[in-house]
């Protein structure tokens, strides 16, 4: 017996030693390769949904896709649209016709020319209801876009046209000052028609992927990792400094952060439990994201059919406490719906200019509640249920709200949680009384936030309807004069908070850590990352 | 033996059919839809998508179409990852999960048996107490806690092993250790108690009286009989571990198939739900079948064909 045990022990020892020597060798190897090339190590979180531009309409696809391909415009370091595949454009006097000149040296990674045809094909395909793109609504600015996507119009009525090989013309339904910013979105990227006709699944594997961006896809092990290297055919290749970008696919934030600590990643998100500590120690970077965390009232249900009761609850919420003691992730309290960072015609920030809309005011909240209850003849409020989708952070916020309503107004609120998919369905069907919500902007303009609350809009989900509001939004959408357009949007937001079908909690942000040697990674508030200008010092 | 095996295969197919049917109807009875997104798409788009995945057909027709796809073992495209088929996903994920699972099983069974035997031989002695303390800790510490702890110590603090991903044999050490500890503890405890029982039996005393070496007594005579309860649990354990473990695969970013079980249900990705369920059931049923065969080989008193005919 003892002999056997000794033998086993010996075997174990040998195995361990072997493992250790392996450690040293592989360690050396990875160091020497690192010296030769500039490789940035990033994490994509999850397997990209798709690298088919109109289908990959989410951050796990965008972050990579935005660096593999390029639209007519690209957002610069200040998040402003700048010429990209298009070297210039002309806008007609009525602001409705855009004529883009595609640069001569714009090439696909397989050497083909990027042509106006590639854009026409891609944009029409995005709007085709058969494609099933959830980004298609972005193309509703284009004349004929909405009816084609809605199954009513035909492809030929979509007013995008390749005038010649390098000239691309777009007619809009109404003037849009932010059109150039919208088309920087990956959904508007061109598609190499020749490649797509030969292989309709060209985007599914690294081998067949053909892009026109600063990097090209060189390796894609599904669910595990992918890699891109500098695209030597890219028109602006001189400016790209990284040789390679390696993307790991790590879903667990704790693991991601530990990999960053161990030097296996150059950038990482921050685990929720550590965020507060790291923010205080100033070890993280915090950047604004265009999005807002808010709650929707259902104005068809008692007691929220009464405006004053809605406003009472809205004013009883303490956004500052919520951000400081509950979410603790460095978020800015939201006292309006449009987030920070949108400049009006005079260069003033929308949020600052329109002021605080639902800043905590317990006294006012109490008197509004009293007034509302009198109007409705309530001695006691009907039962209120607050619903959130199952998640730790949502739960903490819901519990804090419950306590705030109780302490400030003496209102009891019941909490309920639901799995996300069921929650989303019930919220859309107006079955929830008071429910948690998120809005993340798709493009950088306040109208993207405000249009949601038009009557019957798919993002409204409150049952609220206001004629004045609807007409202001429509007028703003058709307004070519920027200062007049902003006036209308300012007024619309005021109505939204005067009527209070919603109340806001905080604006979203990106909290992350980054290797000190890395420079130039741009994170746009509307979501995607930009690695074109990124560099890594040795 | 052969009639028994044929009969068992018949029952296995029937079980599989029940599982498929139940899963199919349960899955369609959960509210929500695979096309439910924060942004609503146009009705025309919704209709096209439903048509494409045949979700507009009556449920019974979908069920029949589904049975057909199971028979041909072609589960169709994933709804959420439309450029990939369920077969591709399983074909990619299963080998990885299998690799992780096999390593875990071998480690758990070998170390569990050794610990259990050692503890039984030194009953109420120091080795017994140490082994059982290890086992209790192994059972009570959840593997995700152990995993995080191991990463922090071995990778972040000491820097001797990689944190995560599945790139080389070295990447296997931590996840296998984290995953094997629990099963190892269960096997150790089971082995110990059944060994204790077997060791008091008459035939062991006879063997000792014959003057056989202790090694032969333990590993040839005692362990063989003590193995029965262990084999029972190893069967279902193997099915569970080999088809992937959600938590460990997530923590170590291992591209196995564990995540498909959970994600597909959250996303209502019907083809993936069915694919993973059928696959898992198949592996489980086969494992249980192998366990039954193993019984007969280990213990001649169990006559399979008689049991089958009764």
């Amino acid at each position: 017996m003892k002999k056997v045990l000794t033998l086993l022990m010996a075997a174990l020892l040998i195995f361990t030693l072997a493992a250790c020597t392996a450690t040293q060798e592989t360690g050396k190897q990875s160091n020497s390769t690192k010296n030769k090339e500039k490789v940035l190590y990033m994490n994509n979180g999850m397997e990209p949904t798709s690298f088919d531009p109109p289908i990959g309409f989410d951050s796990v696809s965008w972050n990579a896709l935005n660096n593999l391909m390029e639209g007519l415009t690209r957002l610069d370091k200040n998040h402003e649209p700048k010429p990209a595949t298009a070297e210039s454009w002309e806008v007609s006097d009525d602001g409705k016709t855009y004529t883009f000149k595609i640069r001569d040296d714009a090439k696909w990674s397989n050497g083909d020319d990027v042509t106006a045809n590639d854009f026409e094909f891609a944009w029409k395909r995005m709007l085709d209801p058969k494609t099933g793109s959830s980004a298609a609504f972005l193309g509703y600015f284009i004349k004929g876009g909405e009816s084609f996507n809605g199954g009513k119009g035909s492809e030929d009525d979509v007013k995008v046209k390749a005038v010649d090989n390098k000239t691309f013309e777009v007619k809009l339904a109404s003037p849009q000052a932010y059109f150039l910013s919208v088309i920087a979105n990956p959904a508007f990227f061109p598609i190499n028609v020749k490649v797509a006709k030969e292989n309709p699944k060209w985007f599914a594997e690294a081998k067949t992927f053909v892009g026109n961006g600063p990097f090209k896809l060189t390796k894609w092990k599904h669910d595990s990792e992918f890699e891109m290297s500098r695209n030597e055919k890219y028109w602006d290749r001189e400016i790209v400094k990284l040789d390679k970008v390696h993307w790991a696919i790590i879903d667990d934030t704790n693991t991601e952060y530990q990999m960053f600590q161990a030097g296996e990643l150059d950038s990482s998100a921050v685990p929720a439990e550590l965020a507060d500590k790291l923010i205080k120690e100033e070890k993280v970077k915090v950047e604004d994201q265009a999005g807002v965390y808010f709650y929707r009232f259902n104005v068809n249900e008692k007691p929220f059919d009464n405006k004053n009761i809605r406003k009472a609850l809205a004013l009883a919420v303490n956004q500052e406490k919520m951000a400081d003691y509950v979410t603790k992730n460095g978020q800015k309290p939201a006292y309006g719906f449009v987030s920070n960072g949108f400049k009006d015609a005079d260069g003033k920030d929308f949020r600052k200019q329109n002021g605080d809309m639902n800043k905590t005011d317990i006294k006012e909240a109490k008197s509004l509640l009293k007034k509302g209850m009198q109007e409705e003849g309530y001695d006691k409020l009907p039962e209120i249920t607050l619903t959130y989708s199952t998640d730790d952070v949502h739960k903490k916020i819901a519990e804090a709200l419950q306590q705030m309503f109780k302490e400030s107004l003496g209102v009891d609120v019941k909490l309920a949680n639901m799995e996300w998919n069921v929650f989303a369905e019930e919220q859309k069907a107006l079955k929830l009384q008071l429910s948690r919500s998120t809005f993340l902007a798709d493009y950088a303009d306040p109208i993207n936030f405000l249009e949601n609350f038009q009557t019957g809009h798919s993002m409204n989900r409150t049952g609220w309807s206001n004629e004045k509001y609807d007409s202001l939004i429509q007028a703003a959408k058709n307004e070519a004069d920027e200062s007049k357009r902003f006036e209308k949007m300012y007024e619309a937001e005021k109505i939204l908070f005067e009527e209070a079908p919603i109340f806001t909690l905080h604006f979203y942000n990106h909290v992350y850590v980054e290797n000190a040697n890395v420079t130039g990674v741009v994170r746009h508030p509307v979501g995607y990352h930009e690695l074109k200008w990124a560099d890594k010092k040795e | 033996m052969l009639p028994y095996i044929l009969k068992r295969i018949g029952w296995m197919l029937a079980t599989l059919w029940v599982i498929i049917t139940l899963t199919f109807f349960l899955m369609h009875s959960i509210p929500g839809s695979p096309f439910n997104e924060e942004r609503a798409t146009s009705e025309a788009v919704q209709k096209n998508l439903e048509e494409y995945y045949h979700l507009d057909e009556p449920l019974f027709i979908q069920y029949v179409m589904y049975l057909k796809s199971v028979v041909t073992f072609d589960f169709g495209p994933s709804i959420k990852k439309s450029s990939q088929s369920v077969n591709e996903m399983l074909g990619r994920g299963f080998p990885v999960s299998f690799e992780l699972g096999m390593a875990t099983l071998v480690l758990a069974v070998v170390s569990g048996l050794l610990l259990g035997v050692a503890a039984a031989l030194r009953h109420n002695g120091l080795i017994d107490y140490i082994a059982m303390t290890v086992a209790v800790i192994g059972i009570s510490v959840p593997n995700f806690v152990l995993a995080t702890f191991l990463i922090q110590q071995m990778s972040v603090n000491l820097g001797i092993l990689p944190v995560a991903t599945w790139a080389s044999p070295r990447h296997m050490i931590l996840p296998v250790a984290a995953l094997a500890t629990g099963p190892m503890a269960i096997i150790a405890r089971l082995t110990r108690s059944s060994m204790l029982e077997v060791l008091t039996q008459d035939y062991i005393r006879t063997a000792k009286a014959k003057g056989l070496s202790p090694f032969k007594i333990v590993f040839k005579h005692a362990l063989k009989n003590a193995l029965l309860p262990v084999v029972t649990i190893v069967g279902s354990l193997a099915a569970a571990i080999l088809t992937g473990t959600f938590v460990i695969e997530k923590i170590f970013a291992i591209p196995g198939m564990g995540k498909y079980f959970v994600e597909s249900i959250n996303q209502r990705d019907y083809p993936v739900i069915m694919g993973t369920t059928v696959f898992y059931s198949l592996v489980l049923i086969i494992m249980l079948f192998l366990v039954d065969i193993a019984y007969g080989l280990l213990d001649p008193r169990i006559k399979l064909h008689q049991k089958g005919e009764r």
Side-chain angles (χ1 to χ4, degrees):
Chain A
M1 184 66 207
K2 266 183 193 158
K3 268 184 201 162
V4 177
L5 274 177
T6 328
L7 264 175
L8 270 170
M9 286 301 219
L12 211 73
L13 198 70
I14 291 169
F15 178 75
T16 328
L17 284 176
C20 285
T21 49
T23 315
Q24 283 158 3
E25 275 164 25
T26 39
K28 268 181 217 153
Q29 264 173 7
S30 63
N31 271 340
S32 62
T33 44
K34 262 183 199 169
N35 287 337
K36 269 186 258 158
E37 289 181 317
K38 274 186 191 173
V39 187
L40 185 69
Y41 290 88
M42 301 286 281
N43 174 28
N44 200 49
M46 280 195 266
E47 162 87 356
T49 311
S50 175
F51 282 157
D52 184 8
I55 301 297
F57 190 58
D58 44 28
S59 61
V60 289
S61 311
W62 275 352
N63 284 340
L65 201 52
N66 190 43
N67 297 295
L68 291 170
M69 297 181 92
E70 183 166 270
L72 294 164
T73 60
R74 182 179 282 277
L75 301 181
D76 69 359
K77 292 165 193 173
N78 301 316
H79 323 299
E80 296 290 333
K82 289 283 144 66
T85 305
E87 63 183 0
S88 62
W89 49 80
E90 277 164 28
V91 188
S92 66
D93 289 341
D94 63 357
K96 288 189 186 175
T97 307
Y98 282 73
T99 312
F100 295 93
K101 170 92 181 62
I102 294 167
R103 48 180 93 242
D104 284 333
D105 51 353
K107 301 269 182 203
W108 290 100
S109 53
N110 66 356
D112 292 353
D113 270 349
V114 178
T115 66
N117 250 329
D118 296 334
F119 278 96
E120 184 183 332
F121 172 79
W123 289 24
K124 282 183 172 171
R125 182 170 166 270
M126 172 186 81
L127 284 163
D128 190 336
K130 285 202 192 83
T131 308
S133 166
S134 47
F137 73 96
L138 288 175
Y140 290 1
F141 305 122
I142 299 163
K143 210 171 172 189
E146 184 161 6
S147 60
F148 179 41
N149 188 246
K152 289 173 208 115
S154 88
E155 188 173 328
D156 300 334
D157 297 334
V158 180
K159 295 293 176 203
V160 294
K161 197 171 86 188
V163 180
D164 60 46
N165 240 354
K166 293 283 179 184
T167 315
F168 182 57
E169 186 190 86
V170 186
K171 286 206 167 92
L172 304 184
S174 57
Q176 312 288 343
Y178 41 93
F179 178 66
L180 291 170
S181 165
V182 178
I183 58 171
N185 187 293
F188 290 90
F189 286 171
I191 288 173
N192 187 324
V193 183
K194 237 184 352 188
V195 172
K197 289 261 156 78
E198 264 167 42
N199 175 12
K201 279 199 171 190
W202 59 276
F203 45 79
E205 304 294 338
K207 258 198 310 230
T208 52
F209 189 90
V210 177
N212 66 328
F215 295 91
K216 58 183 183 201
L217 189 62
T218 39
K219 184 165 112 187
W220 188 4
K221 264 178 83 184
H222 292 282
D223 276 319
S224 154
E225 57 178 346
F226 55 95
E227 197 170 74
M228 41 178 89
S229 14
R230 194 195 347 231
N231 178 7
E232 297 303 339
K233 303 267 167 36
Y234 182 54
W235 64 272
D236 205 7
R237 57 193 164 266
E238 302 304 326
I239 214 145
V240 182
K241 295 180 194 83
L242 295 172
D243 293 303
K244 273 182 182 168
V245 184
H246 179 272
W247 298 79
I249 296 178
I250 295 144
D251 193 12
D252 190 285
T253 316
N254 279 314
T255 309
E256 183 189 4
Y257 185 68
Q258 283 169 320
M259 281 181 80
F260 174 79
Q261 286 181 305
E264 294 174 38
L265 284 177
D266 285 320
S267 169
S268 162
V270 175
E273 314 85 69
L274 287 176
D276 190 33
K277 183 171 160 264
L278 292 174
I279 290 171
K280 281 185 186 140
E281 291 170 3
E282 293 182 355
K283 285 185 177 158
V284 294
K285 295 189 177 181
V286 181
E287 269 169 40
D288 284 340
Q289 200 182 349
V292 55
Y293 190 105
F294 67 109
Y295 267 76
R296 286 179 167 104
F297 290 113
N298 184 342
V299 305
N300 295 337
E301 291 220 11
K302 286 191 178 314
F304 299 132
D305 50 348
N306 183 293
K307 181 174 91 180
N308 289 320
I309 296 179
R310 295 199 298 266
K311 281 176 79 178
L313 262 68
L315 293 180
V317 175
N318 191 330
Q319 283 90 341
E320 212 173 305
K321 271 193 183 164
M322 195 68 94
D324 288 347
Y325 303 114
V326 183
T327 45
K328 295 196 283 194
N329 198 32
Q331 290 117 335
K332 292 184 182 139
Y335 299 119
F337 195 69
V338 176
S339 59
N340 297 300
F342 298 110
K343 301 270 184 290
D344 69 7
D346 306 326
K348 288 184 182 131
D349 190 90
F350 185 102
R351 185 69 275 129
K352 288 205 184 77
Q353 195 65 12
N354 221 20
D356 293 342
M357 303 265 143
N358 60 341
K359 191 149 191 176
T360 325
D361 186 344
I362 308 291
K363 218 175 117 198
E364 176 74 4
K366 279 181 177 157
S367 82
L368 281 169
L369 182 68
K370 208 169 141 197
K371 195 171 155 205
M373 284 173 72
Q374 266 169 7
E375 284 166 359
E376 301 294 320
Y378 294 142
D379 294 327
K380 198 173 159 280
L381 279 184
E383 195 175 86
I384 299 172
T385 306
L386 178 156
T387 315
Y388 58 95
S389 50
T390 314
D391 175 274
D392 284 347
V393 176
H394 299 335
K395 185 175 176 220
K396 275 200 279 185
I397 292 174
E399 284 168 352
L401 281 174
Q402 185 183 39
Q403 205 186 349
M404 284 174 185
F405 294 144
K406 176 82 188 160
E407 273 176 11
S408 323
L409 298 175
V411 171
D412 283 311
V413 172
K414 260 178 46 183
L415 300 186
N417 70 319
M418 278 178 195
E419 188 248 4
W420 183 83
N421 209 312
V422 181
F423 173 84
E425 202 161 271
E426 301 234 313
Q427 190 184 57
K428 284 177 193 168
L430 285 185
K431 285 183 184 162
L432 306 175
Q433 211 179 359
L434 170 59
S435 57
R436 182 206 78 78
S437 305
T438 287
F439 176 73
L440 293 171
D442 304 293
Y443 54 91
D445 195 88
I447 195 76
N448 188 214
F449 288 77
L450 295 170
E451 67 180 350
N452 293 324
F453 296 101
Q454 295 175 88
T455 306
H457 193 280
S458 69
M459 293 290 278
N460 182 312
R461 301 178 204 166
T462 57
W464 181 68
S465 160
N466 183 299
E467 263 177 49
K468 182 84 192 292
Y469 186 87
D470 292 353
S471 67
L472 278 170
I473 297 295
Q474 282 312 315
K477 285 190 157 202
N478 288 304
E479 180 61 67
D481 182 294
E482 274 296 90
S483 68
K484 281 184 194 155
R485 192 170 77 90
F486 268 83
E487 280 314 312
K488 294 187 168 93
M489 293 194 293
Y490 284 140
E491 201 185 335
E493 200 193 36
K494 285 184 184 127
I495 295 176
L496 182 66
F497 281 88
E498 171 55 31
E499 290 275 316
I502 56 162
F503 65 82
T504 49
L505 285 169
H506 61 75
F507 295 123
Y508 277 90
N509 59 2
H510 286 296
V511 180
Y512 62 96
V513 282
E514 196 172 69
N515 182 342
N517 293 335
V518 174
T519 52
V521 177
V522 179
R523 291 165 169 83
H524 296 305
V526 284
Y528 25 99
H529 291 193
E530 207 77 65
L531 302 175
K532 182 175 166 178
W533 306 289
D535 197 3
K536 190 176 168 183
K537 279 184 233 111
E538 286 311 317
Chain B
M1 197 71 171
L2 191 66
Y4 168 77
I5 291 177
L6 287 179
K7 203 164 181 176
R8 270 301 297 260
I9 290 176
W11 276 111
M12 278 157 67
L13 291 177
T15 315
L16 206 56
W17 173 73
V18 172
I19 292 172
I20 291 168
T21 311
L22 275 178
T23 315
F24 183 87
F25 288 102
L26 273 176
M27 168 180 95
H28 280 280
S29 70
I30 337 174
S33 125
F35 310 120
N36 204 352
E37 285 182 31
E38 186 58 34
R39 272 275 175 195
T41 42
S42 82
E43 269 171 45
V45 170
Q46 289 275 347
K47 232 182 85 189
N48 273 307
L49 286 170
E50 281 171 12
E51 247 169 56
Y52 182 77
Y53 292 103
H54 303 290
L55 293 175
D56 54 338
E57 310 266 4
L59 204 54
F60 187 73
I61 305 281
Q62 287 186 46
Y63 172 66
V64 174
M65 288 167 71
Y66 192 72
L67 281 185
K68 218 167 87 187
S69 71
V70 172
V71 173
T72 53
F73 218 80
D74 174 9
F75 298 105
S78 154
I79 297 181
K80 280 287 157 180
K81 303 237 154 65
S82 50
S83 53
Q84 296 176 29
S85 76
V86 179
N87 285 17
E88 274 168 10
M89 291 164 96
L90 294 179
R92 211 167 50 223
F94 180 63
V96 175
S97 288
F98 186 81
E99 208 181 344
L100 170 67
M102 263 332 251
T104 303
L105 267 185
V106 170
L107 180 66
V109 170
V110 171
S111 56
L113 280 179
L114 283 180
L115 266 183
V117 170
L121 290 180
R122 297 282 179 274
H123 185 41
N124 286 337
L126 187 63
I127 295 183
D128 188 17
Y129 290 133
I130 293 174
M132 285 309 107
T133 311
V134 171
V136 168
I137 293 174
I139 290 174
S140 33
V141 177
N143 57 19
F144 56 89
V145 175
L146 188 63
T148 318
F149 176 77
L150 283 176
I151 296 180
Q152 192 62 35
Q153 290 306 323
M154 306 299 279
S155 312
V156 179
N157 294 349
L158 295 175
I160 49 177
L161 287 170
V163 177
T165 71
W166 197 245
S168 75
R170 277 178 65 233
H171 287 82
M172 288 176 72
I173 299 173
L174 290 186
V176 168
L179 196 53
T181 308
M184 176 204 77
I186 296 172
I187 292 171
R189 282 169 60 99
L190 263 178
T191 311
R192 174 179 174 270
S193 55
S194 60
M195 270 299 274
L196 284 178
E197 202 185 304
V198 171
L199 283 176
T200 58
Q201 284 182 11
D202 291 343
Y203 76 95
I204 297 292
R205 205 179 316 147
T206 316
K208 276 185 190 159
K210 276 202 300 190
L212 284 182
S213 72
F215 177 76
K216 239 183 174 172
I217 296 175
V218 171
F219 286 97
K220 193 153 180 236
H221 296 283
L223 192 58
K224 199 173 160 192
N225 283 317
L227 270 182
L228 276 185
V230 178
V231 168
T232 313
I233 80 148
V234 166
S236 46
L237 201 66
I241 290 182
L242 293 179
T243 51
T245 38
F246 177 65
V247 180
I248 289 294
E249 286 183 3
K250 186 175 165 181
I251 291 179
F252 287 100
I254 297 170
M257 60 180 282
K259 66 174 164 301
Y260 299 140
F261 287 94
V262 181
E263 275 174 13
S264 63
I265 296 176
N266 283 342
Q267 301 173 334
R268 307 292 189 274
D269 196 336
Y270 299 134
V272 183
I273 298 180
M274 291 307 295
T276 48
T277 313
V278 170
F279 190 80
Y280 176 70
S281 320
L282 201 65
V283 174
L284 181 65
I285 289 173
I286 291 174
M287 283 297 162
L288 294 180
F289 174 65
L290 291 180
V291 167
D292 279 357
I293 302 277
Y295 280 161
L297 295 179
L298 278 174
D299 189 345
R301 285 172 298 182
I302 300 174
K303 294 270 189 299
L304 290 175
H305 56 280
Q306 273 178 12
K307 206 168 86 183
E309 277 161 13
R310 220 173 271 159

